[in-house]
Amino acid sequence: MSAGHHAFTAREGVVALAVSLALFLGQGIVFAGMGLALFATGQALHLGPAALGAAFTTVIVGASAGATLPVWLITRIGGRLTMTGGALVMAAGLALAGLASGLALLLPAMALVGAGFSLLANTPAYAMIAGWSGPRTNRVLGLYLMIGALGNAAGPALGQALIADGLGYWRGTCGLALALALLLLAVLRDPPAPALPDAPRAAGWWRPLLGLRFAVLASTMVLSQAVIMTALSVAPAHLSPALGWNAGAVARVLALQGLLGALGTGLAGFALRHVRAVRLLALSLLATALGMGALAQGGALMVNWGFVPLFGVGSALVAMAVTVLLMEWFGHETGTAGLALCWTLAGLAALGPGLAGVLAQWTGSYAGAIWLLGASCVPVAVAAGVLHRAKPIETPSSRA
């Protein structure tokens, strides 16, 4: 009998909490706090906006390059060792970044950090959750994403504390990543049956991924990640003393929007009982667009009352809505493969911070790039909204 037919067990709870903690630290270290860390490092190494944009871009490229590796690794060494290895790779990248005196070492360090995150979160964690939780997967997934979103709240505060304390962001977060690796190795256990087969067994499993629905979902994931990564990476530089902001205030703003995102994700499970996931996706994209506009304006009123709630909640719900729709429309097998593909394609999100850095170098302001990315969410939201009448797709895996 599979784990999904048993009552809730202590092992299931331990696994769910462990993978959630991994996402919490991964989100906080790799993305939420990285903008502050790179901004401080850039000042110390005299790097310009384009160079910092390239560094953050490399994080996303590394995460994209590693996105499909878990599907291959889980079938060979299991989810426990895959996620433990991801924490070690991330620690190695953070340690290397602490030794960097220029881009020659900083860029490969950022690639390792990004690759470690992909081995640690999302696809491998979903496989572990699905393997242990069975029919409870969606509920546990909501908890997982909510705890991960709390990392977006804790990351800026942690980053600012490590930078100001003299411990150093890179050394401090490297220590956390090593501790996480030890914890995962100690408490994770692979499910009785692998949640991800070596390859989907049903013939033609991939054909639905060539359709319009998957194209819209993949485009949504790419754009939302570009928007999130750009906002987190450029906010410390954009909200400058010229606009009345200091480093502590920026860290608090980023932490608060992350906290609201976590709360929104936690409530999304209840919202999905009354609102279809595709409509929630469209509304989340529109809220994200409005939040980016508020950030571009840069005033305290717009940032605190526009960017923080709209971007915080909206951007956090996009990934959850996409994940739910992948499983609803394509079934577990094809949907899981589609999720891994989405995260691979999300490497294109690297264009966001890179574009923002180049535009800021040319124009002297990040506002133009922020406006551009925010406006791009609107047509994607409309495209998602027109799918509100879509019915689940019958795939070979869903018939099996």
Side-chain angles (χ1 to χ4, degrees):
M1 184 179 291
S2 67
H5 295 295
H6 288 293
F8 184 85
T9 63
R11 173 60 61 193
E12 179 186 345
V14 168
V15 167
L17 289 176
V19 299
S20 297
L21 177 62
L23 182 62
F24 173 85
L25 287 176
Q27 284 285 124
I29 292 172
V30 179
F31 297 118
M34 190 63 73
L36 292 166
L38 286 176
F39 182 59
T41 299
Q43 289 183 317
L45 301 181
H46 307 291
L47 300 176
L52 293 181
F56 210 94
T57 293
T58 307
V59 176
I60 305 172
V61 171
S64 170
T68 56
L69 282 177
V71 179
W72 182 83
L73 286 173
I74 288 170
T75 61
R76 287 160 177 79
I77 63 174
R80 173 178 175 241
L81 292 182
T82 296
M83 294 186 67
T84 300
L88 292 175
V89 171
M90 187 169 74
L94 292 166
L96 193 62
L99 301 175
S101 58
L103 285 181
L105 203 56
L106 187 60
L107 292 182
M110 294 298 95
L112 282 176
V113 170
F117 177 81
S118 283
L119 293 173
L120 184 68
N122 298 319
T123 301
Y126 178 80
M128 295 291 284
I129 290 171
W132 282 107
S133 297
R136 288 184 292 273
T137 294
N138 282 346
R139 280 177 286 172
V140 177
L141 179 64
L143 173 67
Y144 167 77
L145 292 174
M146 182 181 71
I147 293 176
L150 285 172
N152 290 333
L158 173 66
Q160 189 64 28
L162 289 175
I163 292 168
D165 189 46
L167 176 61
Y169 187 85
W170 308 118
R171 282 180 294 161
T173 53
C174 177
L176 289 174
L178 289 174
L180 176 64
L182 290 175
L183 176 69
L184 294 176
L185 184 65
V187 306
L188 282 185
R189 292 295 181 270
D190 289 306
L196 292 178
D198 189 15
R201 290 181 293 272
W205 65 270
W206 49 269
R207 289 193 182 95
L209 300 183
L210 300 179
L212 176 62
R213 290 185 182 95
F214 180 75
V216 170
L217 294 181
S219 299
T220 300
M221 188 74 89
V222 170
L223 180 60
S224 70
Q225 291 303 304
V227 168
I228 292 169
M229 295 305 104
T230 302
L232 294 179
S233 65
V234 309
H238 174 63
L239 299 178
S240 62
L243 293 175
W245 297 90
N246 58 42
V250 175
R252 286 192 294 273
V253 161
L254 293 177
L256 185 55
Q257 67 84 23
L259 178 60
L260 290 180
L263 294 175
T265 303
L267 294 174
F270 297 98
L272 287 171
R273 297 178 183 177
H274 308 287
V275 180
R276 293 188 64 180
V278 70
R279 290 181 178 174
L280 182 65
L281 177 59
L283 291 173
S284 299
L285 285 167
L286 290 174
T288 302
L290 292 172
M292 287 291 278
L295 175 63
Q297 195 276 335
L301 182 65
M302 293 295 288
V303 171
N304 288 323
W305 297 100
F307 170 73
V308 168
L310 292 172
F311 181 87
V313 176
S315 64
L317 292 181
V318 172
M320 181 174 184
V322 169
T323 302
V324 170
L325 286 171
L326 282 168
M327 303 308 154
E328 282 185 2
W329 287 351
F330 302 106
H332 173 72
E333 224 175 37
T334 302
T336 301
L339 180 62
L341 180 56
C342 278
W343 284 114
T344 300
L345 293 173
L348 295 171
L351 295 173
L355 172 65
V358 171
L359 288 179
Q361 194 85 40
W362 287 348
T363 66
S365 173
Y366 286 100
I370 297 172
W371 277 114
L372 179 62
L373 283 170
S376 299
C377 291
V378 176
V380 180
V382 173
V386 300
L387 296 177
H388 71 281
R389 295 184 183 276
K391 297 178 180 179
I393 301 169
E394 186 179 7
T395 65
S397 61
S398 66
R399 291 194 301 265

